Amino acid sequence: MPYDPELALRLSNIFQAHEGVSEKKMFGGLAFMLSGHMCCGVIDDKLMARVGPDTYEAALELPHARPMDFTGKPLKGFVYVDAEGLNSDEKLREWVNRAVAFVASLPPK
């Protein structure tokens, strides 16, 4: 399974409330771009969330979160959230809101 289509649909529904969102296949999954910046994504059955370097350590302390280590080396500012941590729309929305908050702070592309 390249990525969980149900999680991708849930993310797509959440991102409908935001302007400037596009979807792009990458990393063998699906990424959600906000104003040209990678924000969130689905890889296998995990959420990838771009929380930024300043809130990275705090995000890792949350249940079911771990470093995004796609290349075998953690990518600071990005976390994976396992499926168990996304079992409600509220929990998924909280992760999306963290990622959107960080990406909104970036300069326009």
Side-chain angles (χ1 to χ4, degrees):
M1 168 175 68
Y3 62 86
D4 181 344
E6 182 181 326
L7 180 55
L9 178 61
R10 290 172 63 204
L11 278 170
S12 183
N13 289 337
I14 290 171
F15 275 108
Q16 284 181 359
H18 298 275
E19 291 185 25
V21 175
S22 61
E23 297 178 15
K24 185 174 183 179
K25 290 187 178 188
M26 53 186 355
F27 304 125
L30 184 66
F32 289 81
M33 313 292 283
L34 186 58
S35 300
H37 296 282
M38 189 181 335
C39 184
C40 291
V42 183
I43 299 175
D44 297 323
D45 63 346
K46 299 178 290 293
L47 172 72
M48 180 278 300
R50 185 177 187 184
V51 297
D54 293 342
T55 60
Y56 177 69
E57 295 298 330
L60 290 176
E61 293 179 16
L62 296 170
H64 309 288
R66 62 186 175 87
M68 180 181 166
D69 55 357
F70 183 76
T71 63
K73 197 165 125 179
L75 187 57
K76 191 168 182 174
F78 291 81
V79 297
Y80 280 146
V81 183
D82 293 325
E84 296 83 11
L86 308 169
N87 58 8
S88 74
D89 288 341
E90 181 181 344
K91 288 179 183 178
L92 178 58
R93 192 176 318 278
E94 288 173 3
W95 280 106
V96 169
N97 288 343
R98 285 182 187 94
V100 167
F102 172 70
V103 171
S105 73
L106 297 174
K109 279 199 163 193

